[in-house]
Amino acid sequence: MSYWNDKIAIVTGASSGFGLVLATQLVRQGATVVLVARDEDKLEAVCDSLNSDSDSSNKGTADYFAADVTSTEDVTKLFAFVSEKHGRLDLLVNNAGLSARGRIEETSLDDFAKMIELNVMAVVRCSQAAIPLLRKSKGHLVNIGSLASKSASKFIGPYATTKFAVAGLTHQLRLELAEDGIHVMLVCPGPITRSDSGSRYNDQAAELPAEIRKPGAGVKIKTLCPEKLAADILTACEKRKSELVRPSKAKILFAIAQLSPAWGDWVLKKFSSSKNCQSSGH
Ligand SMILES: NC(=O)c1ccc[n+]([C@@H]2O[C@H](COP(=O)([O-])OP(=O)(O)OC[C@H]3O[C@@H](n4cnc5c(N)ncnc54)[C@H](OP(=O)(O)O)[C@@H]3O)[C@@H](O)[C@H]2O)c1
């Protein structure tokens, strides 16, 4: 029987993209998953499809709650709903997040604040709301960061700023919640394969080198298979690992950059396809 059988999970940003892939695997492994996003119609359609999925012998349930994780009112209602309907929480995955391309100098303060609100403050908000429930279950809190949580990048706008913050926040949570038996894990993935890879940032990156529009923003790095990444996350979670980095060889870059930022920048440049860009992550 799967470790996730009969567990109750919340995945934010789960109506599409990587969050949906992760939620799907949890359901297939027997968990009851509350998928969270803003568009209720899309959530309902996705849950109907997951609940009629016959491709599993060990099947859980997909439930949903429409919420904007940047709203304290919505998040309060989400956790009240989970408590009342499901009675417990074993896993929170803070997955909802926004990326961008652009120069910091040209990024408006409004756009910067918007990204901080979703990528950082929403993670704080959902984590705070989940802690009392996770304390009871001795469950798992997983924050989806990026390679850009560890290695600063060029032309990905405020994204690296917010993902470094997610790494710091996750470290603090890990230290503070260990004595309560809550497992806290940071996930640092490189670019994930998706249907709109390569065209997603066309509007934003019009003035920047063409490589910046590609997954990885110019770094020569293979995109990750989302299903494999989701499986790795669930296994690492079950083993209560502190951190998961994919591809794992990126840890070498992180170590070099810690020892010497200049060496780290040199390595990034060497693996970038343009002299004008040095970047990693999303
Ligand atoms: N994609 C990559 O290559 C990559 C690489 C490294 C790390 N990551 C990280 O992985 C996570 C997922 O990335 P992704 O590319 O799969 O994301 P995505 O496709 O852009 O995420 C879309 C999902 O997030 C929901 N969402 C957006 N804003 C929301 C809000 N305010 N409240 C609630 N839900 C919201 C969307 O639904 P609604 O619009 O209906 O709300 C949808 O379900 C992010 O944290 C990202 O930084 C991604």
Side-chain angles (χ1 to χ4, degrees), residues 6 11 18 35 44 53 58 93 102 109 116 124 139 147 161 166 168 172-173 180 187 190 200 204 221 226 267 269 279:
D6 290 338
V11 180
F18 180 67
L35 288 84
E44 190 179 4
D53 175 7
N58 188 16
V93 183
L109 290 178
I116 291 173
V124 175
L147 293 186
T161 308
V166 170
Q172 279 300 302
L173 287 167
D180 292 321
V187 180
R200 208 176 181 197
Q204 298 171 5
I221 188 170
V267 175
K269 214 168 183 174
S279 170

Side-chain angles (χ1 to χ4, degrees), residues 12-19 36-39 42 67-70 94-98 118-119 144-147 159 163 189-192 194 200 281-282:
T12 68
S15 64
S16 64
F18 180 67
V36 179
R38 292 164 299 179
D39 184 334
K42 199 166 173 187
D68 180 342
V69 290
T70 66
N94 283 306
N95 167 77
L98 181 67
L118 179 58
N119 290 7
I144 306 296
S146 164
L147 293 186
Y159 186 69
K163 290 297 183 178
I192 303 167
R194 31 185 305 137
R200 208 176 181 197
H282 198 162

Side-chain angles (χ1 to χ4, degrees), residues 1-62:
M1 185 185 292
S2 161
Y3 171 81
W4 298 104
N5 203 52
D6 290 338
K7 298 263 194 298
I8 310 291
I10 296 176
V11 180
T12 68
S15 64
S16 64
F18 180 67
L20 177 56
V21 176
L22 187 62
T24 303
Q25 290 209 7
L26 277 163
V27 171
R28 287 189 178 157
Q29 293 196 35
T32 294
V33 186
V34 180
L35 288 84
V36 179
R38 292 164 299 179
D39 184 334
E40 187 157 9
D41 292 343
K42 199 166 173 187
L43 279 171
E44 190 179 4
V46 157
C47 284
D48 284 351
S49 152
L50 280 177
N51 287 328
S52 57
D53 175 7
S54 55
D55 182 21
S56 168
S57 52
N58 188 16
K59 201 166 175 302
T61 309

Side-chain angles (χ1 to χ4, degrees), residues 184-205:
V184 178
M185 181 169 81
L186 174 70
V187 180
C188 300
I192 303 167
T193 306
R194 31 185 305 137
S195 56
D196 59 357
S197 289
S199 60
R200 208 176 181 197
Y201 304 106
N202 277 359
D203 295 346
Q204 298 171 5

Side-chain angles (χ1 to χ4, degrees), residues 75-281:
V75 169
T76 304
K77 285 181 186 162
L78 161 68
F79 282 85
F81 165 82
V82 172
S83 293
E84 281 158 29
K85 184 166 176 189
H86 299 290
R88 57 181 284 137
L89 180 68
D90 300 290
L91 167 67
L92 166 68
V93 183
N94 283 306
N95 167 77
L98 181 67
S99 181
R101 297 289 191 268
R103 291 174 197 275
I104 291 293
E105 189 184 0
E106 289 156 9
T107 305
S108 72
L109 290 178
D110 275 357
D111 284 347
F112 224 107
K114 199 173 147 197
M115 197 172 289
I116 291 173
E117 192 48 52
L118 179 58
N119 290 7
V120 184
M121 293 312 296
V123 180
V124 175
R125 186 178 287 111
C126 291
S127 300
Q128 286 182 339
I131 288 168
L133 291 165
L134 293 175
R135 197 172 272 132
K136 285 187 200 153
S137 65
K138 303 209 180 306
H140 309 267
L141 198 169
V142 175
N143 291 335
I144 306 296
S146 164
L147 293 186
S149 290
K150 300 274 187 172
S151 178
S153 304
K154 193 169 167 185
F155 297 144
I156 55 172
Y159 186 69
T161 308
T162 63
K163 290 297 183 178
F164 264 73
V166 170
L169 169 66
T170 310
H171 190 188
Q172 279 300 302
L173 287 167
R174 193 172 85 225
L175 295 173
E176 288 181 17
L177 300 178
E179 63 197 36
D180 292 321
I182 300 176
H183 164 238
V184 178
M185 181 169 81
L186 174 70
V187 180
C188 300
I192 303 167
T193 306
R194 31 185 305 137
S195 56
D196 59 357
S197 289
S199 60
R200 208 176 181 197
Y201 304 106
N202 277 359
D203 295 346
Q204 298 171 5
E207 307 301 321
L208 297 176
E211 291 81 11
I212 300 305
R213 284 173 223 152
K214 293 182 185 161
V219 172
K220 291 174 199 156
I221 188 170
K222 270 192 194 163
T223 57
L224 300 168
C225 165
E227 287 77 17
K228 171 81 171 75
L229 176 63
D232 287 353
I233 290 173
L234 296 184
T235 303
C237 204
E238 188 178 339
K239 293 180 178 166
R240 301 181 92 83
K241 301 270 189 199
S242 303
E243 205 167 276
L244 182 75
V245 177
R246 287 291 182 272
S248 49
K249 66 181 177 193
K251 284 190 255 185
I252 300 168
L253 168 64
F254 299 164
I256 293 170
Q258 276 289 305
L259 282 172
S260 161
W263 291 354
D265 289 354
W266 182 84
V267 175
L268 271 173
K269 214 168 183 174
K270 199 167 166 47
F271 285 94
S272 297
S273 49
S274 159
K275 281 183 182 164
N276 288 325
C277 83
Q278 48 180 38
S279 170
S280 72

